[in-house]
Amino acid sequence: MVATVSAAQEESLAKVNGEPVVNLPKDLFIPPDALEIFLETFEGPLDLLLYLIRSHNLDILNIPIAEVTRQYMKYVALMEKIDLELAADYLVMAAMLAEIKSRMLLPRTSHHEEDDDLDPRAELVRRLQTYERYKKAAENLDELPRMERDTFEVKLDPPPVAHEKQQKQHPPIDLATVLSAFHGVLQRAVLSTHHTVEKERLSVRERMSLIVDLVTPEHFLPFTQLFHYDEGRPGVVVTLLAILELHKAQLIELVQTDPYGTIHVKGVA
Amino acid sequence: MPTPSTASLKNILEAALLAAGQPLSIKQLRRLFSDEWQPSEVEIGETITLLQQEYQGRGIELKTLASGFRFQACSETAPWISRLWDERPPRYSRALLETLAIVAYQQPITRAEIEDVRGVAVSSSMIKTLMEREWIRVTGHREVPGKPALYATTHDFLDYFNLQSVDELPPLMAARDVDAITDELKLNSYAENSR
Amino acid sequence: MPTPSTASLKNILEAALLAAGQPLSIKQLRRLFSDEWQPSEVEIGETITLLQQEYQGRGIELKTLASGFRFQACSETAPWISRLWDERPPRYSRALLETLAIVAYQQPITRAEIEDVRGVAVSSSMIKTLMEREWIRVTGHREVPGKPALYATTHDFLDYFNLQSVDELPPLMAARDVDAITDELKLNSYAENSR
C-alpha cells in the first residue's frame, strides 16, 4: 500500500496504532552559511518543503508535521534575512503548516465521520504532489533537444540569379512607431530609476560612435585630428568629452611617447 | 515560370526548405508553384518523405515539427557547431521552465492557476518574456470576475523544442490518485498525533 | 567534447557550413575542433571536395568562394525559391522596436544594458534581426568580464528614417509628450511609406 517505505521507517523504534514511529534524524539542521548558498535556488515554499521531505527520506504521505514545520521555520527565518520580498509566499505556507499542526493536535471526534475524517495534511500533500510533477516536467522540458543548444537552423543564401524579389523583404516601420515603443520603455524605466538620458549627452554619444569609427587598433591618429574647430567651443568640448568617455570605457587608447609630444589615439583590439 | 523539367520537384523543395530559415508547411510549399505547374499536397508530402530518408545519417536532418518541416543540424554535431558563435546558448531559469511546463500541460490556464501550482507569484516580466519569445499566447479569458487571460503554448514553442504537438511532451510523473491518498492517510491515522 | 565517432567529420562540416549563414574558410572550420581531435587542413579540404561531389545535381550546391565555402540554392530553383520572400513581410514586434529605440538613444550599449532598461531578456534572434536589417552593428566590446559586444545604430538606420545624425532623433525628455511628436512625424511618414 505504502509503496515507498523510507529507510527511517524501517529503523523505527516502536509502533503506534500499527504504524512505525519514525526516529527523526537529529542532523536535520544545516549550518546557516551553507544554507544561504542554496536558499536562493528554491523556487518557493512548495519547493523548499519538497526538499525537506525528499532530502530526509520522509514519506510524503505521512509527513511528520511538527518536525517539518520546525525545520521550515528555520529556513524562513534565514530567508527573511536574505530576501524580504520572497518571505510573503513563505509565510503563507508557514501559516498553513501551523494550522495543520494545530488541527492534528486536536483529538478526533469520530473515527467514521466522512468529512471530519479527512487528514488535515491531505490538501498539503495534494499540492506538494502536483508541484513535484511540474517540477519534474520542467526538468524534462529542459532536457528536450532544443534550438540554439542541441540543434541549429540552417541559413542558406538565396540563389544567385538576378531577381528583384529575391531580396528578403523587410516589414516597413516608421519613426513614430519606434518612438512610441521607446515611450513605453521610458514610462517603465521612470518608475524604477532616474537615469534618463539628457539631450546633451546624445551628441556626446553620437561623437563617441564617430570617433570609434575613425580609429582602428592598427594605426594611430593624431589627437588633434579628431577636433573640428569650425564647430566652435561646444563642438570641441563634445569631442573632448567623447574621447574621455571612450577612454574611460577602454574603447580607445591615448598614447604620448615624448613629453609635450603629439598625443595619438588608437582603437583597442 | 520555367517548366518543371529545369528543376525537379525534389530539388525545389530541398532548396526552399533550406533557404526558408523557418519551418514551412505543405500548404506554404505548394504556394511556391504557379498554376502551370502545381504539384498536389500528396506529391509534396511524398517528396518530403523521400528527402527525409535521403538525409538520414547526414549532418543535417529534415524534421517534422508543429508548423511544418525544417532542416536543422543534427544534435550529434552540436558540440562543434555551437563553436561557430561566441555566445553561449541561452539558459532558462527554473522559474521560467516551470511556468512554461505548467502552461504546456494544463493549457489553457490563467496566471493565478499557475501561481497555485507553483506556490509563488509569477512575475509579469516572466509572462512577458514568454509572450515575446512567442512561446505562449493569450487564447481567451476565463469567465470569472476580472476575466483573467488564459494562456496556451504556441507552434513556435513546439518548434523550438523539436515537438510536433503537445502530445509529444514527456508524460507527467504519475500522481497518486487523490482519493487513494486520502484513504492512505486515513489508514495511517494520526500516528503523528500520538507522539 | 565527444569523440569523433559520435559524428563524422563530413557530417560536422556539412552542418557547420549550413548553419553558419556565411562563407567559412578551411581555417575557420578547423577552429571548430579541439586539441583532442584536430583534423588537418588537408583532411578538411578533401572532405569538402567530397561534399561538393555529393551535392551535385541537388537543390543546393556547395560553392567555393574567395572567403571560403558556402552552400547556396541552385540557380535552377531560383524562380520558385524567390517566391518564399514574395509573401507579405512579417511585422516587427514591439519588443524589437523597443530594443531598436534603446540602442538609438543609448548607444553604444551592451545587450545586458538593454535588458536592464527593458526589464526583460532580449532574445538573440531579436539582435540578429536588427543586425541583418543592418540597423545596428557591433562597434566594440565593453572592457568588463565576458567582453560583451557594444551595439550602435548604422548609417542605414539614419537613412531609413530620413535622419542626418542621431542628434536629430526627437529629444528624450520631450518623448513624454509622445502624442505631439507622433503628430509631427505623421506629417513626414507618408513620404516614408511611399518609398
Side-chain angles (χ1 to χ4, degrees), chain A residues 27-93:
Chain A
D27 60 346
L28 268 177
F29 184 73
I30 306 164
D33 5 335
L35 274 180
E36 288 193 25
I37 301 163
F38 59 74
L39 267 186
E40 286 161 18
T41 70
F42 288 122
E43 285 300 327
L46 290 172
D47 199 18
L48 172 56
L49 271 181
L50 261 185
Y51 166 79
L52 289 175
I53 291 162
R54 293 292 179 216
S55 65
H56 300 305
N57 224 6
L58 304 175
D59 186 353
I60 197 167
L61 294 181
N62 196 11
I63 306 166
I65 285 290
E67 183 56 24
V68 164
T69 306
R70 207 171 57 78
Q71 287 292 318
Y72 181 86
M73 290 314 291
K74 274 187 188 157
Y75 282 80
V76 167
L78 225 111
M79 281 196 163
E80 281 186 305
K81 269 194 227 158
I82 299 165
D83 194 340
L84 262 171
E85 211 186 352
L86 260 184
D89 289 318
Y90 286 88
L91 289 178
V92 173
M93 178 58 72

Side-chain angles (χ1 to χ4, degrees), chain A residues 43 89, chain B residues 111 115 118-123 126:
Chain A
E43 285 300 327
D89 289 318
Chain B
R111 182 160 148 184
E115 290 177 340
R118 294 198 57 229
V120 280
V122 172
S123 72
M126 198 194 296

Side-chain angles (χ1 to χ4, degrees), chain A residues 43 47 61 104 131 148 151, chain B residues 73 94 133 160 184-185 193:
Chain A
E43 285 300 327
D47 199 18
L61 294 181
M104 292 191 67
Y131 176 69
E148 299 181 273
T151 176
Chain B
R94 264 186 60 199
R133 206 79 181 70
Y160 191 86
E184 278 182 45
L185 285 169
N193 197 13

Side-chain angles (χ1 to χ4, degrees), chain A residues 195-213:
Chain A
H195 65 264
T196 8
V197 180
E198 288 158 30
K199 188 180 191 241
E200 200 193 12
R201 279 184 61 197
L202 284 180
S203 42
V204 175
R205 288 193 177 270
E206 161 89 354
R207 192 57 50 97
M208 282 166 73
S209 38
L210 281 176
I211 293 169
V212 164
D213 277 352

Side-chain angles (χ1 to χ4, degrees), chain A residues 1-4 16-17 19-22 24 41-47 54 59-67 86 89-90 103-108 111 114 116-122 125-127 129-142 144-159 168 188, chain B residues 14-15 17-22 60-61 70-79 81-82 85 88-98 100-102 104-106 115-121 128 133 157 159-163 168-178 181-195:
Chain A
M1 189 210 34
V2 179
T4 50
V16 177
N17 294 347
E19 283 296 317
V21 168
V22 180
L24 280 168
T41 70
F42 288 122
E43 285 300 327
L46 290 172
D47 199 18
R54 293 292 179 216
D59 186 353
I60 197 167
L61 294 181
N62 196 11
I63 306 166
I65 285 290
E67 183 56 24
L86 260 184
D89 289 318
Y90 286 88
R103 277 173 61 193
M104 292 191 67
L105 288 172
L106 292 173
R108 298 169 74 194
H111 280 269
E114 278 300 308
D116 290 13
D117 222 19
L118 228 99
D119 191 304
R121 294 172 295 184
V125 169
R126 187 194 65 78
R127 292 192 62 187
Q129 288 212 322
T130 308
Y131 176 69
E132 191 175 32
R133 295 175 84 196
Y134 289 104
K135 185 184 164 178
K136 183 82 184 96
E139 286 165 20
N140 290 340
L141 194 63
D142 201 24
L144 285 178
R146 65 173 189 241
M147 300 300 287
E148 299 181 273
R149 186 188 68 186
D150 308 299
T151 176
F152 304 89
E153 64 181 25
V154 295
K155 284 168 244 154
L156 195 68
D157 284 345
K168 191 171 173 179
R188 293 204 308 270
Chain B
E14 183 181 35
L17 285 163
L18 280 161
Q22 60 180 46
I60 57 167
E61 59 187 329
R70 179 177 69 197
F71 269 112
Q72 58 191 43
C74 287
S75 50
E76 293 80 45
T77 66
I81 309 303
S82 58
W85 302 280
R88 279 207 253 145
R91 291 190 57 193
Y92 301 100
S93 66
R94 264 186 60 199
L96 186 132
L97 289 166
E98 281 182 12
L100 188 59
I102 294 165
Y105 285 94
Q106 299 261 54
E115 290 177 340
D116 204 49
V117 174
R118 294 198 57 229
V120 280
K128 205 175 150 207
R133 206 79 181 70
F157 158 76
D159 290 347
Y160 191 86
F161 287 95
N162 274 285
L163 300 167
E168 280 187 5
L169 282 168
L172 274 183
M173 197 175 81
R176 273 177 274 183
D177 196 294
V178 179
I181 293 168
T182 312
D183 287 347
E184 278 182 45
L185 285 169
K186 273 183 207 162
L187 289 169
N188 283 345
S189 176
Y190 287 8
E192 168 84 11
N193 197 13
S194 42
R195 281 165 13 101

Side-chain angles (χ1 to χ4, degrees), chain C residues 65-129:
Chain C
L65 302 163
S67 49
F69 303 91
R70 180 171 68 185
F71 271 108
Q72 56 187 38
C74 290
S75 49
E76 291 83 11
T77 64
W80 293 275
I81 308 302
S82 60
R83 289 183 147 221
L84 274 178
W85 292 283
D86 267 2
E87 288 180 41
R88 216 160 2 103
R91 287 188 53 199
Y92 286 135
S93 65
R94 184 156 183 93
L96 184 130
L97 296 175
E98 282 184 11
T99 305
L100 179 63
I102 292 164
V103 175
Y105 281 95
Q106 308 257 43
Q107 57 191 299
I109 188 168
T110 66
R111 180 160 151 184
E113 288 159 0
I114 302 172
E115 289 177 343
D116 217 40
V117 177
R118 294 200 53 230
V120 288
V122 171
S123 70
S124 303
S125 71
M126 207 186 292
I127 295 286
K128 209 178 87 192
T129 306

Side-chain angles (χ1 to χ4, degrees), chain A residues 211-227:
Chain A
I211 293 169
V212 164
D213 277 352
L214 282 174
V215 299
T216 60
E218 285 77 37
H219 64 273
F220 294 92
L221 198 74
F223 179 69
T224 45
Q225 255 186 39
L226 296 172
F227 293 89

